[in-house]
Amino acid sequence: MLRAFFISLSENKSLRAMAEQSAMGRRLSGRFVAGMTLEDVLQVTARTNQLGMSVSIDNLGENVTDAAEAAHSAQLYHQLLDEIAARKLDANCSLKLTHMGLDVDEKLAQSITLELLEHAERVNSFLRVDMEGSPYTQKTIDFTRKIHPLHPGKIGTVIQSYLRRSEDDVVALCQDGIRIRLCKGAYQEPPEIAFPDKKDVDNNYVRLMKILLKSGVYHGIATHDEKMIAETIAFAESERIKPDQFEFQMLYGVRRDLQQALVKQGWRMRVYIPFGTEWYPYFMRRLAERPANVLFLARNLLK
Ligand code: FDA
């Protein structure tokens, strides 16, 4: 119930405009967002690297409504790729196709992303296409599979274990040798296409994780769920899959203790670090995942 409520708030345009312009909103967003500028995120990335963790940087934004906005978003990613290389950071980039203009013109989004991918290849980096709500699932998978052969190993995408279709997608993407980030899924989806019960989402997560780890492709196991992590470690150990054959991934500001504990145990960890002024939908999805975060934020506000 609360999850659905926060996800519906995340899509509210007037609230978004109000929140993103308010000083208090910006302060609160700091719980999950590294800052508003490129320099902010690069500094947080350097500090995260010093703790032994890799990073994926997300320039926040989604569902842009004109070509100029999409071009502006891409420009920031080009700057990011150059800065990551110049500062020798251990980081790559994550982006959303609707931030690159998918709702405006599919061809535009594809050509903008292809240019970014070419840039990523030139600086020996990697581009991850985040997975959005179900209207974009097929388009995201088709797009990734279409351009992967042009830059093999340099582009990957995301699979959500709450979707009933995901096992088929995992098998197809693994056959192409495409790197997958496995997560549970952060959007509100109808029961016809997504498991409504957490137990089924978790069971599917474990099933997909095992396919990924056995595939021979380097994948990301993205979760803060200690049960999913324990299952992954137990499976890797029983199958003699080495710690450098996959990585765990977690979000900036979530379970820092667990991130560092896993690194200490010798596992690879990549932290997903978002930045930018368009933080509202991302922030609200984080509240939806754990409504107790609202209390935490309220306490901070009162301090
Ligand atoms: P679950 O929600 O069951 O939470 C398990 C435990 O983790 C909680 O009990 C709590 O302790 C902690 N936790 C989880 N979320 C928290 C939060 N927001 N604040 C505080 N504690 C929290 N989704 C998507 O649809 N498309 C995508 O591209 C991505 N990309 C992505 C990248 C990375 C690196 C991660 C880690 C996650 C995503 N996600 C995503 C989000 C993902 O789908 C999911 O919504 C969240 O990771 C929460 O699910 P968990 O697996 O953590 O389990």
Side-chain angles (χ1 to χ4, degrees), residues 3 31-32 96 129-132 158 160 162 181 183-187 198 202 205 222-226 228 249-251 253-255 270-272 285-287 289-290 293:
R3 179 176 186 274
R31 167 81 171 81
F32 298 115
K96 291 183 174 51
V129 182
D130 285 345
M131 189 55 80
E132 303 180 64
V158 180
Q160 298 150 325
Y162 64 16
R181 172 201 297 149
C183 67
K184 291 191 187 178
Y187 298 82
K198 178 174 163 51
D202 290 357
Y205 193 98
T223 180
H224 318 91
D225 186 334
E226 295 191 32
M228 301 299 106
Q249 299 186 354
M250 292 193 199
L251 301 177
V254 180
R255 295 301 310 263
R270 185 178 300 274
V271 183
Y272 181 101
R285 287 197 293 274
R286 302 293 77 81
L287 297 189
E289 282 155 7
R290 193 165 175 265
N293 284 333

Side-chain angles (χ1 to χ4, degrees), residues 145-171:
R145 293 187 75 188
K146 185 168 137 197
I147 63 172
H148 181 258
L150 305 175
H151 301 274
K154 295 294 175 189
I155 185 162
T157 188
V158 180
I159 290 291
Q160 298 150 325
S161 73
Y162 64 16
L163 289 187
R164 297 179 190 274
R165 58 175 285 167
S166 286
E167 186 164 343
D168 292 341
D169 292 331
V170 160
V171 171

Side-chain angles (χ1 to χ4, degrees), residues 82-99:
D82 284 334
E83 286 295 333
I84 289 170
R87 300 180 192 208
K88 298 189 172 40
L89 295 171
D90 176 5
N92 59 36
C93 294
S94 289
L95 59 76
K96 291 183 174 51
L97 288 181
T98 67
H99 197 196

